[in-house]
Amino acid sequence: MLQRALGASGIDVSVLSLGSWRTYEHISREQGLAVMNSARECGIDFLDDARYNDETGMAPLQTGYSEVVFGELFRAAGWKRDEVVVANKLWWEFWPKESAQQELDSSLTRMGFDHIDLIYATAPPEGLDAAEIVESVGGLISSGKARAWGVVNWPPELLVESARLARASGVPLPCAAQLAYNVIWRSSVEGAEESIALREACVSVVASAVLVYGALTGKYADPEMTGRLAAKRHEPIFKEAVDAASTLAELAARFSTTPAALAIAFALAGPRVASVLFGATRPEQVRENAKALDVDPAVVAELRRTYPLR
C-alpha cells in the first residue's frame, strides 16, 4: 500500500488507517481479529486506538477496556510492533489532577505497550493553554513514551500558536491533524483559515468521518435502518450527507466502484491528506474500503465539482 509522510516527524504511514474507537468491545474477538488480519493483508500499517467509557455494561473496566482489547487483538494478529504506527489520544478528561504523562502511562499499561508512535492531543479543556500542551507532549516525546504528536479537531488559531511555541521551545512540531473531512464537510481542511494554519504548522491531515458515520454509503436511505445516525438522519448537519448518498451511489455505479470507496478516494485526494481513517466491524468492509485506491482520479474530480467548497 502507498505510504505518505506525517509532517516532518520522519514517520511514514499507509494511506489508509484502521480505527478501533467504539468497535472491538461491540463485536466478538473472532470478528475483531478477522478485521485486523484483513487490514494487515491489505497493507495497512497505521492503527488508531483510543480510550472510552464502557458502553456495554459488561466490561471489567469502567473506562479504557477498549485499549485492553486492542492490545490483545494486536498481539493475536501477529503484528510486529516496530513495523506498525499506533496512535492514541490524550482526552485531558481528568486534567489537571491527571497529567498527560499519567494519562498516557495508564493507556500504555492497558494496551500492553511501552510507547505510542503518535499521540494526539484532543481539544483542551478550559484553563489548559497551548504552552502547557506543548510542554507536556514534549516531555512525552523526550521520555520515549511517544515518537510524535498531533492534534484532533483543533481550531486553526490554536494549531498555529502551538506550532509557534514548539518551534521556540525546541519541541517537535505537531505532525498530524485528525480532522473530519468528506465531500460534505470540506472546510476543515480546505477553508481559507484552516488551510493556512495547516501549512504554517507543517502538519499532515488524517481524514476522519469520511463516510459521515455511514451516511454516505446510502445505508440510511432505508427508514428502518438502525445505526449511529438513525435517530439523527433528519438533523441539518447530517441530512445533507444522507441526501448526497444517492449521488455517490449513482456515480459509483457508473464507474464500477462503491459509494464508500468513492468517498474514501475523495478524502485521500484532499490537500495535505496523509491517510484516511475508517472503522470496520467485518473484514469485508476493510477489503471494500481498500478499493478506494483503485478509483480513477477523474471520478474524484467529478465528485469535487458536484460538491464544491462552500
Side-chain angles (χ1 to χ4, degrees):
M1 184 173 290
L2 294 172
Q3 300 268 313
R4 292 179 182 174
L6 285 180
S9 67
I11 299 174
D12 293 335
V13 296
S14 55
V15 295
L16 299 180
S17 48
L18 179 67
S20 63
W21 194 49
R22 288 188 162 94
T23 298
Y24 295 133
E25 279 189 78
H26 294 272
I27 60 179
S28 70
R29 296 300 175 92
E30 291 74 20
Q31 281 180 283
L33 184 57
V35 167
M36 276 209 174
N37 283 331
S38 182
R40 186 178 179 185
E41 291 164 4
C42 288
I44 293 173
D45 63 9
F46 188 15
L47 305 179
D48 191 293
D49 190 28
R51 170 181 61 83
Y52 67 92
N53 295 335
D54 174 47
E55 298 172 337
T56 67
M58 301 170 59
L61 300 176
Q62 183 177 0
T63 186
Y65 190 57
S66 52
E67 296 170 316
V68 174
V69 176
F70 174 88
E72 292 174 350
L73 290 173
F74 181 94
R75 287 179 284 277
W79 295 94
K80 293 183 179 180
R81 182 64 188 87
D82 60 354
E83 295 179 356
V84 184
V85 176
V86 178
N88 206 322
K89 295 180 174 69
L90 294 171
W91 293 108
W92 313 110
E93 188 176 3
F94 305 111
W95 180 89
K97 181 179 179 180
E98 182 180 69
S99 67
Q101 180 77 61
Q102 291 170 319
E103 183 176 352
L104 180 55
D105 281 345
S106 296
S107 289
L108 290 173
T109 297
R110 288 187 290 266
M111 298 172 79
F113 288 6
D114 61 5
H115 75 282
I116 286 296
D117 298 289
L118 174 62
I119 187 67
Y120 285 114
T122 60
E126 185 176 354
L128 178 58
D129 60 23
E132 185 170 349
I133 293 173
V134 169
E135 181 182 5
S136 295
V137 297
L140 297 179
I141 294 171
S142 63
S143 71
K145 297 295 180 69
R147 294 174 60 199
W149 73 288
V151 303
V152 179
N153 296 329
W154 275 21
E157 62 274 11
L158 182 59
L159 177 58
V160 170
E161 181 186 5
S162 295
R164 176 182 59 80
L165 289 168
R167 288 190 181 96
S169 59
V171 170
L173 291 172
C175 68
Q178 189 179 121
L179 300 168
Y181 176 61
N182 51 63
V183 296
I184 302 300
W185 306 336
R186 291 175 54 179
S187 61
S188 61
V189 172
E190 298 182 46
E193 187 178 1
E194 290 82 0
S195 60
I196 291 173
L198 292 169
R199 184 174 65 251
E200 288 188 5
C202 300
V203 303
S204 299
V205 172
V206 176
S208 65
V210 295
L211 300 177
V212 193
Y213 314 115
L216 292 179
T217 67
K219 63 184 289 185
Y220 292 107
D222 179 357
E224 303 301 319
M225 176 61 67
T226 60
R228 191 171 179 181
L229 290 188
K232 301 179 180 179
R233 75 183 80 192
H234 299 300
E235 294 181 10
I237 191 173
F238 299 121
K239 186 178 184 302
E240 189 174 8
V242 173
D243 293 342
S246 59
T247 300
L248 264 72
E250 178 185 349
L251 192 59
R254 282 170 49 197
F255 292 95
S256 301
T257 187
T258 66
L262 185 53
I264 291 171
F266 174 92
L268 191 56
R272 305 193 71 88
V273 173
S275 190
V276 170
L277 175 67
F278 65 84
T281 57
R282 295 177 290 105
E284 296 82 8
Q285 288 177 297
V286 178
R287 292 191 287 269
E288 286 296 316
N289 289 350
K291 292 180 180 179
L293 303 180
D294 300 322
V295 173
D296 190 323
V299 184
V300 176
E302 182 171 342
L303 189 57
R304 291 181 69 85
R305 289 191 296 270
T306 303
Y307 292 97
L309 176 67
R310 296 192 296 274

